[in-house]
């Protein structure tokens, strides 16, 4: 293992054509992905409440886009050499505005009428009958009003702090206040402890289900918050702020303490987007823009509630199972015993786990067996996103209690999961586990679990590797591959990586694993060149890559070069892809498709073939996407699939169905837009669900 990262090899060795082809905008590619998510809400073969959930997912995705990507983009405009100019911002803003308009059109013109036909209504004040208005009034006075404190603005009452993504009202008042002054503007902040969606009781809805939004409840009773004043105009508003936490790791002595102190300010970062309702008077929106130092292009007028993402509460509360996806019960992996010695089975050969089609309980079972096995002496695990409640973390705590040696490599900088990870780290440390926080300047994104067991007079290691997180909740929604192995070379490599993460010492290079930021990028570029060289010789030259994002320029340029030399390349990229496929004479041998279905595609599979026979073929599973950050600023792993039967299974389940998908797949066009592959073909996800579904 090299003492320094591999760096970022440039494309200077490539032909001019591969170097000059203009790549697609990453931000536009992210917005295109969200357009594909929104398209799920238009599909008639998707249950109605799930269609609404896709609108909510898109809203959440757009929040993160503004909190992270857009805020970085605004900074990049002022940095020389980034290649980002004001015209790029204008194009992205225009695309974002158009996408938001589409989102609300789908919600208002398609989903609400269909919900009404199904006996489910979201009632505005004007839609509510007298009994419903009485009930809402009682709810407001008992549950809402006691928590509201309107702030009238004047020199001694400055504009209150507005938290990121919180619901607020701005009100213009007539008349004079209690002290005879004519201060006209007031702000009402809505506490997050209040539910955003309230289901009305059957006694006032009859045989229908009716919901009211908290914003509608407050709007209907604003006059009660300002007795003696005339309400001239008002609007909901919601502010999105830059939510990245920046910590100078070279200038802190305790990363955990530094992050915890920074988390308290995340809610009040730089403002980047202002949402108001479409009817908001210009004088109020202009006042808010000035208050938050935002330009007109940062204003989003929406035809409905300012936070559609909160409507997941309606999806969860509605009594209509027929309008949701039918429950899916994943099968237990055929190759892993439910009972008996799990270590004996793994010692016989590697075991592949394909989630969520096969249950993640198998991973929990492996760790539980290790915790309760008296012959297991040590457990080491990386922790990236496990959630605030985690059976796996509870098992690690139990392992410490049982006297086992436990090392946890906790990634504190996992965006939006920092608090949960800090809490787990502190609980583990309190019991006596060894806890480290990775490497300064790098995120530990590799997913590894290592068990050391005494067998006779020797020690044997067992490892679990994964393309996804150790999170039982998301493991039901994300497609990922887990790998159980007792291979001496693989497990020795895993142990070596844990040692380096803990001790920071230089060790020998891994024999089997590829490790970023050291060898992974170089090996991928090498394999692409091997394929290109085979194409030069007229031999079989094939690349199939399945990742969540493709934005690393050296890898993109290498793929373009290989395609120009004759290689056939298929890229299955769920999200952002900056490589423009199908450009005549340049990338016409490259196809890019994105699969957006019931599950979130998350598996990373890397296949290369540069001739005939197994000796000229390589297949890897990986924790890393093909992004610059994954290759150069994270600790990532990729492992080879050497067993012939398991290699074929990975190809048959993780690649072929997605290349043939005719229902959930989209084909990327040269300009970055996507076209649906079809609507009546076979869905890869549905086929895999049928393949692995638990028997009744």
């Amino acid at each position: 293992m090299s003492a320094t990262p591999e760096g970022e090899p440039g494309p200077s060795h490539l032909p001019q054509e591969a170097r000059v082809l203009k790549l697609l905008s990453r931000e536009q590619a992210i917005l295109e992905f969200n357009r594909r998510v929104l398209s799920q809400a238009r599909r008639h073969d998707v249950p109605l409440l799930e269609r609404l959930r896709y609108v909510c997912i898109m809203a959440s995705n757009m929040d993160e886009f503004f909190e992270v990507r857009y805020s970085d983009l605004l900074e990049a405009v002022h940095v020389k050499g980034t290649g980002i100019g004001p015209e790029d911002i204008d194009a992205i803003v225009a695309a974002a505005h158009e996408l938001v308009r589409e989102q609300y059109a789908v919600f208002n013109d398609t989903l609400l009428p269909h919900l009404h036909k199904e006996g489910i209504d979201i009632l505005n004040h004007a839609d509510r009958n007298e009994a419903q208005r009485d009930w809402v009034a009682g709810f407001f006075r008992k549950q809402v009003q006691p928590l509201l404190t309107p702030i009238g603005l004047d020199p001694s009452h400055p504009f209150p702090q507005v938290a990121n993504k919180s619901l607020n009202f701005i009100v213009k008042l007539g008349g004079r206040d209690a002290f005879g002054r004519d201060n006209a503007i007031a702000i009402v902040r809505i506490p997050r402890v209040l539910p955003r969606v309230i289901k009305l009781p059957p006694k006032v809805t009859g045989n229908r289900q009716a919901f009211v939004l908290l914003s509608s409840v407050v709007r209907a009773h604003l006059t009660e918050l300002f007795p003696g004043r005339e309400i001239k105009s008002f609007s909901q508003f919601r502010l999105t702020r830059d939510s990245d936490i920046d910590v100078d790791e070279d200038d802190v002595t305790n990363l955990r303490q530094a992050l915890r102190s920074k988390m308290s300010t995340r809610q009040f970062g730089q403002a980047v987007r202002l949402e108001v309702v479409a009817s908001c008077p210009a004088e109020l929106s202009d006042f808010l823009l000035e208050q938050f130092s935002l330009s007109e292009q940062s204003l989003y007028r929406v035809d409905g509630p300012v936070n559609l993402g909160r409507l997941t509460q309606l999806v969860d509360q509605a009594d209509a199972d027929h309008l949701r996806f039918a429950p899916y019960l994943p099968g237990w992996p055929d190759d892993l015993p439910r009972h008996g010695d799990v270590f004996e089975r793994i010692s016989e050969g590697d075991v592949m786990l394909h989630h969520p089609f096969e249950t993640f309980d198998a991973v929990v079972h492996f760790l539980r067996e290790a915790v309760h096995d008296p012959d297991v002496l040590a457990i080491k695990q990386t922790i990236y996103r496990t959630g605030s409640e985690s059976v796996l973390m509870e098992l690690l705590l139990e392992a410490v209690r049982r006297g086992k040696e436990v090392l946890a490599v906790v990634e504190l900088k996992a965006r939006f999961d920092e608090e949960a990870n800090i809490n787990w780290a502190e609980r583990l440390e309190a019991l006596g586990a060894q806890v480290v926080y990775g490497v300064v300047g790098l995120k530990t994104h590799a997913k590894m679990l290592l068990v050391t067991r005494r067998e006779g007079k020797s020690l044997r290691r067992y490892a679990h590797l994964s393309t996804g997180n150790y999170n039982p909740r998301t493991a039901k929604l994300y497609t990922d591959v887990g790998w159980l192995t007792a291979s001496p070379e693989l497990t020795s490599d895993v142990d070596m990586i844990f040692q380096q993460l803990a001790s920071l010492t230089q060790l020998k290079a891994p024999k089997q694993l590829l490790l970023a930021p050291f060898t992974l990028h170089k090996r991928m570029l090498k394999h692409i060149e091997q394929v290109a060289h085979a194409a030069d010789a007229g031999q079989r030259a094939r690349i199939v890559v399945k990742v969540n994002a493709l934005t690393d320029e050296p890898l993109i340029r290498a793929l373009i070069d290989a395609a120009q030399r004759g290689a056939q390349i298929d890229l299955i990229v769920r999200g952002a892809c900056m490589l423009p496929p199908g450009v005549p004479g340049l990338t016409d041998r490259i196809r890019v498709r994105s699969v957006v279905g019931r599950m979130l595609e998350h598996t990373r599979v890397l296949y290369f073939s540069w001739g005939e026979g197994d000796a000229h073929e390589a297949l890897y599973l990986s924790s890393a996407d093909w992004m610059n950050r994954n290759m150069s600023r994270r600790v990532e792993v990729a492992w080879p699939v050497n067993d012939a039967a398991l290699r074929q299974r990975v190809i048959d389940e993780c690649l072929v169905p997605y290349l043939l998908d005719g229902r959930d797949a989209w084909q990327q066009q040269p300009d970055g837009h996507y076209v649906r592959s079809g609507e009546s073909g076979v869905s890869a996800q549905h086929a895999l669900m049928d393949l692995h579904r638990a028997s009744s």
Side-chain angles (χ1 to χ4, degrees), residues 77-367:
V77 172
H78 305 291
V79 178
K80 291 183 178 179
T82 61
I84 304 296
E87 67 281 1
D88 299 297
I89 300 292
D90 292 343
I92 290 162
V93 167
H97 275 283
E98 177 58 31
L99 187 53
V100 170
R101 282 191 289 270
E102 289 182 33
Q103 177 190 27
Y104 278 85
V106 170
F107 174 68
N108 289 312
D109 301 338
T110 302
L111 298 186
L112 287 182
H114 280 86
L115 287 167
H116 178 75
K117 290 179 182 179
E118 294 289 346
I120 300 173
D121 295 309
I122 300 176
L123 300 177
N124 293 320
H125 181 71
D127 302 324
R128 299 194 277 264
N129 61 35
E130 185 176 354
Q132 291 165 348
R133 290 182 180 182
D134 288 343
W135 188 92
V136 169
F139 178 83
F140 173 79
R141 290 163 190 153
K142 294 177 182 177
Q143 303 292 332
V144 180
Q145 187 173 12
L147 300 179
L148 303 182
T149 305
I151 304 294
L153 303 186
D154 71 4
S156 63
H157 294 75
F159 199 103
Q161 279 276 42
V162 173
N164 182 42
K165 299 186 296 186
S166 61
L167 176 62
N168 307 269
F169 277 80
I170 181 171
V171 183
K172 182 178 180 182
L173 301 167
R176 296 183 177 274
D177 66 16
F179 303 94
R181 297 170 300 184
D182 61 353
N183 54 312
I185 300 296
I187 302 296
V188 183
R189 300 193 306 183
I190 312 301
R192 286 198 163 113
V193 295
L194 291 169
R196 278 357 188 207
V197 179
I198 301 101
K199 187 174 184 179
L200 298 181
K203 66 181 180 181
V204 298
T205 61
N207 60 355
R208 302 184 65 83
Q209 296 186 68
F211 297 84
V212 295
L213 305 183
L214 181 62
S215 54
S216 172
V217 173
V218 174
R219 173 182 175 178
H221 296 278
L222 277 175
T223 55
E224 297 183 34
L225 299 177
F226 302 97
R229 302 293 298 272
E230 175 192 0
I231 294 182
K232 291 188 172 182
S233 58
F234 62 90
S235 176
Q236 306 170 40
F237 73 90
R238 181 174 180 261
L239 191 69
T240 310
R241 296 181 180 273
D242 179 352
S243 296
D244 247 357
I245 295 179
D246 295 320
V247 174
D248 185 354
E249 296 182 48
D250 293 322
D251 195 36
V252 298
T253 57
N254 188 312
L255 180 59
R256 186 178 69 195
Q257 291 179 4
L259 278 170
R260 189 178 284 285
S261 65
K262 285 278 188 177
M263 281 191 297
S264 61
T265 63
R266 165 180 273 165
Q267 294 295 322
F268 304 103
Q270 179 65 42
V272 293
R273 174 181 61 164
L274 175 65
E275 296 167 281
V276 299
V277 294
S279 60
C280 178
E283 63 174 329
L284 294 185
S285 60
D286 289 346
F287 176 84
L288 291 171
L289 288 173
E290 182 180 3
Q291 183 64 43
F292 299 122
S293 302
L294 291 172
S295 65
E296 183 71 25
Q297 68 178 183
S298 299
L299 178 66
Y300 288 74
R301 292 181 173 275
V302 300
D303 188 14
V306 294
N307 186 359
L308 285 176
R310 290 298 193 102
L311 288 174
T312 54
Q313 295 176 17
L314 186 153
V315 176
D316 295 336
Q317 290 183 61
D319 183 15
D321 287 344
H322 66 290
L323 300 181
R324 299 187 182 90
F325 285 128
Y328 175 70
L329 185 61
W332 187 268
D334 291 336
D335 289 341
L336 195 69
R338 281 180 179 267
H339 309 288
D341 192 339
V342 65
F343 297 108
E344 181 179 356
R345 167 59 191 89
I346 300 171
S347 67
E348 295 171 356
D350 293 355
V351 177
M352 172 181 166
L353 310 173
H354 197 178
H355 311 302
F357 313 108
E358 294 179 314
T359 179
F360 190 76
D361 289 346
V363 180
V364 178
H365 174 65
F366 169 66
L367 181 56

Side-chain angles (χ1 to χ4, degrees), residues 536-658:
D536 290 336
Q539 300 173 339
R540 173 176 166 80
R542 187 83 167 95
I543 297 173
V544 185
V545 170
K546 184 176 186 293
V547 288
N548 303 318
L550 174 57
T551 61
D552 181 79
E553 184 168 346
L555 288 169
I556 292 173
R557 299 293 182 190
L559 289 169
I560 293 171
D561 173 55
Q564 290 173 349
R565 292 160 68 179
Q568 189 65 41
I569 300 174
D570 277 287
L571 306 173
I572 308 164
V573 185
R574 183 199 74 211
C577 177
M578 291 171 54
L579 191 158
V583 178
L586 294 175
T587 61
D588 40 11
R589 290 190 180 89
I590 301 178
R591 295 185 300 175
V592 177
R593 56 172 30 207
S594 170
V595 173
V596 180
R598 173 173 175 173
M599 316 296 185
L600 181 77
E601 287 300 327
H602 198 248
T603 312
R604 290 95 167 193
V605 185
L606 319 168
Y607 173 81
F608 309 90
S609 178
W610 57 92
E612 301 299 329
D614 292 346
H616 300 96
E617 184 179 71
L619 177 67
Y620 298 90
L621 297 167
S622 180
S623 64
D625 285 313
W626 278 21
M627 305 172 71
N628 175 267
R629 70 182 189 190
N630 296 83
M631 297 296 166
S632 62
R633 301 194 301 277
R634 290 189 173 190
V635 176
E636 303 270 17
V637 296
W639 65 97
V641 180
N642 296 319
D643 180 273
L646 288 177
R647 177 181 296 194
Q648 193 60 50
R649 184 183 167 196
V650 171
I651 293 171
D652 289 345
E653 293 189 19
C654 300
L655 296 180
V656 173
Y658 293 93

